[in-house]
Amino acid sequence: MIIIVLGAPGTGKGTVAGLLQEKLGIKQVSTGDIFRKNIKERTEVGILAEKYITKGNLVPDDITIKIVEERLNEPDVINGAILDGFPRTIKQAEELDKILAVKGQKVDKVINLTTPDEEIIERIVNRRVCSNQECKAIYNILLNPPKIEGICDKCGSELVTRKDDTEETVKARLETYFIETNPLVEYYKNQGNLITELVSKSVNKLGKDVANEVVQILK
């Protein structure tokens, strides 16, 4: 099964995708994690990607498509994947359809997460992530703080702030999202596989609630 989690930065894509991985036993594939790993290791792809990410811009399609195609050829995702952060443009969506078709697969379900902009900014500037790439737990110092400040509840590693989690960068990323990525909602709506979910404290609905709803839908 191929599931895509869409949504602007800060809507909880990583949280929902991670919970679905636990509940469905399908591997989460995060382009953000792949890029951050490459940036940390100072690979050629990482150095190139960092120039775009730190400015709140999308990494060019050809680079992103290549790393996702390579990832989807790995053995742990042969039977399916939960794509978090990909596709982000119509071109990426069209190329994904081609990549999957070769494997005899297709996009089965697309979960579109929406959250008010002011909540997104608040969430991201207060977001902390586990520095352990094997753990990748996500916290919010206001909404979901760790038991011990600065320490991951799950593995005990240090919690860090991502370089691009600043208000200025978030606003730029939101602008980019609505210009380049929002058309994907219409693309998948036309395919008939789109589910839209509001994730907001205004309706007392968090990522875990959305993940539970999606699991029920897929049963």
Side-chain angles (χ1 to χ4, degrees), residues 126-173:
N126 289 292
R127 180 165 63 186
R128 302 294 182 270
V129 295
C130 181
S131 56
N132 177 3
Q133 281 296 306
E134 296 301 314
C135 176
K136 300 184 294 186
I138 301 172
Y139 299 85
N140 184 291
I141 57 176
L142 297 179
L143 302 174
N144 176 37
K147 294 175 183 176
I148 301 174
E149 185 177 350
I151 302 297
C152 178
D153 293 347
K154 293 184 178 180
C155 72
S157 298
E158 180 187 5
L159 298 181
V160 297
T161 303
R162 293 173 181 165
K163 287 183 179 179
D164 53 336
D165 281 359
T166 65
E167 185 169 344
E168 182 181 4
T169 304
V170 173
K171 288 179 178 178
R173 288 163 67 193

Side-chain angles (χ1 to χ4, degrees), residues 91-159:
K91 180 181 177 181
Q92 289 180 11
E94 291 171 343
E95 289 300 314
L96 175 62
D97 287 342
K98 293 176 185 176
I99 292 167
L100 294 176
V102 171
K103 301 172 179 291
Q105 297 175 318
K106 63 179 177 62
V107 174
D108 296 288
K109 196 63 68 178
V110 180
I111 305 151
N112 176 42
L113 306 178
T114 64
T115 301
D117 286 3
E118 61 272 17
E119 277 192 54
I120 287 175
I121 293 169
E122 181 183 63
R123 282 183 190 180
I124 290 182
V125 297
N126 289 292
R127 180 165 63 186
R128 302 294 182 270
V129 295
C130 181
S131 56
N132 177 3
Q133 281 296 306
E134 296 301 314
C135 176
K136 300 184 294 186
I138 301 172
Y139 299 85
N140 184 291
I141 57 176
L142 297 179
L143 302 174
N144 176 37
K147 294 175 183 176
I148 301 174
E149 185 177 350
I151 302 297
C152 178
D153 293 347
K154 293 184 178 180
C155 72
S157 298
E158 180 187 5
L159 298 181

